[in-house]
Amino acid sequence: MKKLIATTALALCAASGAMAQEKTEFKVAWSIYVGWMPWGYLEDSGIMDKWADKYGIDVEIVQINDYVESINQYTAGQFDGVTATSMDTLSIPSGGGVDTTALIVGDYSNGNDAIILKGDSDLASLAGKPVNLVELSVSHYLLARGLDSVGLSEADLDGVINTSDADMIAAFATDDVEAVVTWNPLVSEILESPGATSVFDSADIPGEIIDLMVVNTETLDANPDFGKALVGAWYEVLALMATGDEEVLTAMAESSGTDLAGYEAQLASTEMFYAPEDAVTFTASDTLPDTMVNVAEFLFDKGILGVNAPSADFVGIEYPDGTITGNDANVMFRFDTTYMQMAADGGL
């Protein structure tokens, strides 16, 4: 399960109140999604252990089937890092007062998320129709961006129906459901249905649905070797993926519940940053702050940008050049290219 924003998590207290200390044992959590499958392979293959040993530490990578629960547990201090989208990072841990750093910018969705209608329709025909999606998720964000592109808003719909990702395929098969918004692998399956038409997808808003490995900022600052080990291991696996290593890709495919062809199809609609220098360039771009301002405004509009957030500027977000959007007195989300740059420079 990917990308669900848990409103309950916003009530969690920051568990990292005390200054983080130097330590040698770390835990990070991940959940199944095309761009995060390397984390499972890192654990199973021993590559993570190799890099952890290099720095004299131990890193345990734990798969959690419930995506939002993994972020909740990170926010509560049970993990030092977690896979999350930029939007969910802003709303849950950062909005909840946990200073969090995007250590690895792994990819952005480039077609993995889509608005799908029945029949030969276009995006404007959503007016007056109900739409099924996982409410307050990146699907909801994609819908908002799509509607805005044709001069519509959610008020022009016949309501948004909160639907679990587990129920999405069955829902689309019923006569009552006219439109859904979801993510892969569900998108691929639904588009195989007769008459299903994708009218807007994440390729129409490139670089806005961003998938990360985020870590506790205080923990990272106190333990830079933790960051070095994670980043070194990550890019070793991505280098294998970039060469099309079938053994590696097949292992990831099977772990995600598909076959090699199915996994490669999902990768085709994912802009993976296989090379660390590409991740650095994207993260340092002038467009990222604009994207995050849009995300913050969406979250505030939905009432989920932290507890009692007074405005869309409630949380400060810091970028690699030191600039900040939002409240510079409440910086709780940081995009830091330091460790990815080390990988690009061969310095790990």
Side-chain angles (χ1 to χ4, degrees):
M1 177 178 175
K2 179 175 184 273
K3 307 172 178 179
L4 174 63
I5 296 173
T7 53
T8 56
L10 300 179
L12 289 173
C13 295
S16 59
M19 289 297 291
Q21 302 295 315
E22 291 185 19
K23 59 181 185 175
T24 59
E25 296 183 354
F26 304 88
K27 289 173 63 178
V28 299
W30 72 283
S31 53
I32 289 179
Y33 173 66
V34 54
W36 293 331
M37 297 313 298
W39 292 109
Y41 186 80
L42 279 169
E43 181 73 4
D44 296 340
S45 66
I47 291 175
M48 186 70 257
D49 288 339
K50 182 186 77 173
W51 279 88
D53 290 345
K54 177 178 181 177
Y55 290 101
I57 61 176
D58 180 76
V59 179
E60 181 182 2
I61 301 176
V62 181
Q63 179 184 338
I64 296 182
N65 292 330
D66 188 328
Y67 166 67
V68 69
E69 181 59 22
S70 69
I71 304 179
N72 286 348
Q73 289 188 30
Y74 162 77
T75 304
Q78 296 177 41
F79 288 94
D80 301 294
V82 68
T83 54
T85 65
S86 52
M87 187 169 80
D88 295 341
T89 299
L90 180 58
S91 66
I92 303 177
S94 296
V98 177
D99 195 330
T100 295
T101 293
L103 178 71
I104 297 171
V105 178
D107 70 86
Y108 64 79
S109 176
N110 199 31
N112 267 324
D113 301 77
I115 302 173
I116 304 172
L117 277 69
K118 289 179 177 175
D120 186 16
S121 304
D122 58 19
L123 191 56
S125 68
L126 278 175
K129 288 184 170 65
V131 177
N132 292 63
L133 49 69
V134 178
E135 199 170 12
L136 306 180
S137 71
V138 291
S139 292
H140 210 151
Y141 175 78
L142 182 71
L143 175 66
R145 296 286 282 119
L147 291 172
D148 184 64
S149 73
V150 291
L152 298 175
S153 70
E154 194 172 318
D156 296 307
L157 306 176
D158 185 22
V160 166
I161 301 170
N162 190 26
T163 307
S164 166
D165 57 328
D167 298 328
M168 199 68 69
I169 293 174
F172 191 78
T174 66
D175 293 337
D176 294 336
V177 174
E178 299 183 63
V180 299
V181 190
T182 189
W183 53 77
N184 262 324
L186 305 179
V187 167
S188 297
E189 292 189 49
I190 291 172
L191 286 176
E192 292 177 358
S193 305
T197 303
S198 175
V199 296
F200 191 86
D201 65 36
S202 51
D204 294 308
I205 52 168
E208 294 194 29
I209 299 177
I210 310 167
D211 300 310
L212 313 168
M213 167 56 75
V214 301
V215 298
N216 183 284
T217 300
E218 292 179 356
T219 298
L220 180 63
D221 288 347
N223 302 275
D225 285 348
F226 169 52
K228 293 176 183 178
L230 279 182
V231 173
W234 172 261
Y235 284 112
E236 179 173 335
V237 172
L238 259 64
L240 296 173
M241 295 175 68
T243 64
D245 189 310
E246 286 198 8
E247 181 180 348
V248 173
L249 293 172
T250 298
M252 294 182 192
E254 292 175 350
S255 295
S256 64
T258 186
D259 57 15
L260 179 58
Y263 186 59
E264 288 179 330
Q266 293 178 43
L267 282 172
S269 54
T270 308
E271 186 64 33
M272 295 291 297
F273 296 123
Y274 293 109
E277 51 267 33
D278 293 337
V280 170
T281 298
F282 174 83
T283 309
S285 69
D286 293 336
T287 59
L288 182 59
D290 292 336
T291 296
M292 293 309 299
V293 167
N294 286 337
V295 169
E297 290 174 349
F298 169 82
L299 293 173
F300 178 71
D301 180 63
K302 298 300 178 186
I304 49 176
L305 181 61
V307 179
N308 299 320
S311 73
D313 292 331
F314 174 60
V315 178
I317 306 171
E318 185 175 20
Y319 304 93
D321 64 357
T323 60
I324 295 170
T325 58
N327 185 358
D328 59 8
N330 186 40
V331 175
M332 288 290 157
F333 191 1
R334 304 169 195 270
F335 285 93
D336 187 351
T337 58
T338 299
Y339 295 86
M340 295 186 293
Q341 188 64 58
M342 286 181 186
D345 295 340
L348 294 176

